[in-house]
Amino acid sequence: DVYIQYALDEDKPLARRLVEHIRQAVTPLVEVLRIRHESGGSRVLKIRATVTHDESGEPLKVLGVDMDITAARLAESQLQESR
């Protein structure tokens, strides 16, 4: 639910779907989400996660990483604008 808490308002529906996917899915997740940063700005995260489940299908744990790709996204945008 941390993703929902920190997601930018326009990305909250995506964050809710992401959390629901983590709770229910058996497939790995790769998603990009924009969040509010404590500095007052925003960051772009690339989220990769895999959920392991017990025999009854209940989630046991989430293994994953959140990568800050803000600088890469900014560089891509600047490159496109320069063309």
Side-chain angles (χ1 to χ4, degrees):
D1 294 343
V2 172
Y3 291 130
I4 298 168
Q5 177 183 351
Y6 287 101
L8 296 182
D9 288 343
E10 55 270 22
D11 279 7
K12 284 197 186 290
L14 172 62
R16 286 185 187 93
R17 287 192 306 272
L18 189 151
V19 169
E20 191 62 28
H21 180 93
I22 289 172
R23 288 186 179 141
Q24 295 182 2
V26 292
T27 59
L29 167 79
V30 178
E31 190 62 73
V32 175
L33 181 70
R34 295 173 299 162
I35 63 163
R36 289 184 314 276
H37 190 263
E38 61 188 21
S39 67
S42 64
R43 296 287 187 267
V44 181
L45 297 182
K46 184 171 190 177
I47 301 163
R48 293 180 178 265
T50 301
V51 181
T52 57
H53 298 80
D54 64 16
E55 299 79 26
S56 66
E58 292 296 314
L60 288 175
K61 61 183 168 181
V62 177
L63 303 171
V65 62
D66 296 344
M67 296 173 282
D68 185 342
I69 62 168
T70 306
R73 282 287 172 102
L74 180 60
E76 289 172 8
S77 176
Q78 290 172 340
L79 180 61
Q80 288 179 356
E81 288 176 7
S82 69
R83 293 182 180 180

